[in-house]
mmCIF file with all atom_site columns, all heavy atoms in Angstrom:
data_model
loop_
_atom_site.group_PDB
_atom_site.id
_atom_site.type_symbol
_atom_site.label_atom_id
_atom_site.label_alt_id
_atom_site.label_comp_id
_atom_site.label_asym_id
_atom_site.label_entity_id
_atom_site.label_seq_id
_atom_site.pdbx_PDB_ins_code
_atom_site.Cartn_x
_atom_site.Cartn_y
_atom_site.Cartn_z
_atom_site.occupancy
_atom_site.B_iso_or_equiv
_atom_site.pdbx_formal_charge
_atom_site.auth_seq_id
_atom_site.auth_comp_id
_atom_site.auth_asym_id
_atom_site.auth_atom_id
_atom_site.pdbx_PDB_model_num
ATOM 1  N N   . THR A 1 324 ? -39.638 21.986 -31.578 1.00 0.00 ? 324 THR A N   1
ATOM 2  C CA  . THR A 1 324 ? -40.979 21.875 -31.695 1.00 0.00 ? 324 THR A CA  1
ATOM 3  C C   . THR A 1 324 ? -41.661 23.190 -31.678 1.00 0.00 ? 324 THR A C   1
ATOM 4  O O   . THR A 1 324 ? -40.918 24.241 -31.581 1.00 0.00 ? 324 THR A O   1
ATOM 5  C CB  . THR A 1 324 ? -41.588 20.861 -30.712 1.00 0.00 ? 324 THR A CB  1
ATOM 6  O OG1 . THR A 1 324 ? -42.915 20.567 -31.073 1.00 0.00 ? 324 THR A OG1 1
ATOM 7  C CG2 . THR A 1 324 ? -41.437 21.360 -29.301 1.00 0.00 ? 324 THR A CG2 1
ATOM 8  N N   . LEU A 1 325 ? -42.956 23.169 -31.684 1.00 0.00 ? 325 LEU A N   1
ATOM 9  C CA  . LEU A 1 325 ? -43.643 24.424 -31.496 1.00 0.00 ? 325 LEU A CA  1
ATOM 10 C C   . LEU A 1 325 ? -43.349 25.140 -30.231 1.00 0.00 ? 325 LEU A C   1
ATOM 11 O O   . LEU A 1 325 ? -43.618 24.518 -29.165 1.00 0.00 ? 325 LEU A O   1
ATOM 12 C CB  . LEU A 1 325 ? -45.116 24.249 -31.670 1.00 0.00 ? 325 LEU A CB  1
ATOM 13 C CG  . LEU A 1 325 ? -46.064 25.532 -31.713 1.00 0.00 ? 325 LEU A CG  1
ATOM 14 C CD1 . LEU A 1 325 ? -45.854 26.333 -32.990 1.00 0.00 ? 325 LEU A CD1 1
ATOM 15 C CD2 . LEU A 1 325 ? -47.499 25.166 -31.522 1.00 0.00 ? 325 LEU A CD2 1
ATOM 16 N N   . GLY A 1 326 ? -42.660 26.270 -30.293 1.00 0.00 ? 326 GLY A N   1
ATOM 17 C CA  . GLY A 1 326 ? -42.355 27.010 -29.060 1.00 0.00 ? 326 GLY A CA  1
ATOM 18 C C   . GLY A 1 326 ? -41.063 26.646 -28.344 1.00 0.00 ? 326 GLY A C   1
ATOM 19 O O   . GLY A 1 326 ? -40.795 27.337 -27.325 1.00 0.00 ? 326 GLY A O   1
ATOM 20 N N   . PHE A 1 327 ? -40.297 25.706 -28.748 1.00 0.00 ? 327 PHE A N   1
ATOM 21 C CA  . PHE A 1 327 ? -39.095 25.298 -27.943 1.00 0.00 ? 327 PHE A CA  1
ATOM 22 C C   . PHE A 1 327 ? -37.964 24.860 -28.946 1.00 0.00 ? 327 PHE A C   1
ATOM 23 O O   . PHE A 1 327 ? -38.238 24.256 -30.033 1.00 0.00 ? 327 PHE A O   1
ATOM 24 C CB  . PHE A 1 327 ? -39.399 24.111 -27.045 1.00 0.00 ? 327 PHE A CB  1
ATOM 25 C CG  . PHE A 1 327 ? -40.310 24.546 -25.938 1.00 0.00 ? 327 PHE A CG  1
ATOM 26 C CD1 . PHE A 1 327 ? -41.702 24.269 -25.966 1.00 0.00 ? 327 PHE A CD1 1
ATOM 27 C CD2 . PHE A 1 327 ? -39.876 25.059 -24.746 1.00 0.00 ? 327 PHE A CD2 1
ATOM 28 C CE1 . PHE A 1 327 ? -42.551 24.547 -24.953 1.00 0.00 ? 327 PHE A CE1 1
ATOM 29 C CE2 . PHE A 1 327 ? -40.662 25.415 -23.746 1.00 0.00 ? 327 PHE A CE2 1
ATOM 30 C CZ  . PHE A 1 327 ? -42.102 25.194 -23.768 1.00 0.00 ? 327 PHE A CZ  1
ATOM 31 N N   . THR A 1 328 ? -36.791 24.932 -28.444 1.00 0.00 ? 328 THR A N   1
ATOM 32 C CA  . THR A 1 328 ? -35.557 24.514 -29.009 1.00 0.00 ? 328 THR A CA  1
ATOM 33 C C   . THR A 1 328 ? -34.680 23.988 -27.947 1.00 0.00 ? 328 THR A C   1
ATOM 34 O O   . THR A 1 328 ? -34.585 24.587 -26.913 1.00 0.00 ? 328 THR A O   1
ATOM 35 C CB  . THR A 1 328 ? -34.743 25.581 -29.870 1.00 0.00 ? 328 THR A CB  1
ATOM 36 O OG1 . THR A 1 328 ? -35.658 26.186 -30.697 1.00 0.00 ? 328 THR A OG1 1
ATOM 37 C CG2 . THR A 1 328 ? -33.574 24.912 -30.631 1.00 0.00 ? 328 THR A CG2 1
ATOM 38 N N   . ALA A 1 329 ? -33.999 22.847 -28.162 1.00 0.00 ? 329 ALA A N   1
ATOM 39 C CA  . ALA A 1 329 ? -33.232 22.122 -27.139 1.00 0.00 ? 329 ALA A CA  1
ATOM 40 C C   . ALA A 1 329 ? -32.037 21.500 -27.745 1.00 0.00 ? 329 ALA A C   1
ATOM 41 O O   . ALA A 1 329 ? -32.043 21.046 -28.906 1.00 0.00 ? 329 ALA A O   1
ATOM 42 C CB  . ALA A 1 329 ? -34.025 21.074 -26.404 1.00 0.00 ? 329 ALA A CB  1
#
Side-chain angles (χ1 to χ4, degrees):
T324 188
L325 185 68
F327 291 98
T328 307

